[in-house]
Amino acid sequence: QVQLVESGGGLVQTGGSLRLSCAASGRTFSSYAMGWFRQAPGKEREFVAAINWSGGNTYYADSVKGRFTISRDNAKNTVWLQMNSLKPEDTAVYYCAARRGTGTVVPAVTWEYDYWGQGTQVTVSS
């Protein structure tokens, strides 16, 4: 069982930056691939970024490539999402997710993930 707690959301102006954190409980964090997803009002949850267990493999949605960076520290049981050059269309609730397994896999679909956090709101004003 893994519990995930996101933090770092807030209100920022267009072009600004935020850094989201996801703290995981348990001693097996390094056995999980991690992902970030987001959900805007009235829309489906969508993939943002993912990182494999070691941090050696990452994958990004086209909409955030070059602006967002996912990283992790297994010693700290934490994964981060650094978000730069934010746009109003980035406004959403951001969720952290964990998927059991080592290897190079970095899933980009919700059903591949086993555990989810409660989400943190990110609002980008124009």
Side-chain angles (χ1 to χ4, degrees):
Q1 186 79 11
V2 174
Q3 292 186 324
L4 304 172
V5 178
E6 302 96 333
S7 61
L11 174 64
V12 64
Q13 291 186 334
T14 295
S17 298
L18 282 175
R19 190 192 196 200
L20 304 184
S21 298
C22 174
S25 65
R27 294 179 288 180
T28 59
F29 179 71
S30 60
S31 299
Y32 290 82
M34 301 297 295
W36 285 98
F37 290 75
R38 66 187 181 187
Q39 189 166 17
K43 295 188 176 181
E44 293 187 353
R45 193 168 297 189
E46 66 174 6
F47 170 75
V48 176
I51 189 167
N52 77 320
W53 70 278
S54 68
N57 195 23
T58 58
Y59 183 59
Y60 296 91
D62 288 343
S63 58
V64 306
K65 202 172 295 183
R67 300 188 298 123
F68 291 10
T69 302
I70 188 171
S71 61
R72 68 187 295 164
D73 185 335
N74 288 341
K76 296 182 179 179
N77 280 16
T78 302
V79 61
W80 296 276
L81 185 68
Q82 177 67 44
M83 305 186 296
N84 299 329
S85 302
L86 282 162
K87 306 174 182 179
E89 50 264 45
D90 294 318
T91 295
V93 177
Y94 283 71
Y95 296 90
C96 172
R99 179 188 186 271
R100 294 187 204 88
T102 57
T104 60
V105 175
V106 280
V109 292
T110 57
W111 56 86
E112 289 279 3
Y113 286 84
D114 303 299
Y115 302 103
W116 292 83
Q118 83 290 346
T120 185
Q121 176 70 46
V122 172
T123 303
V124 185
S125 63
S126 55

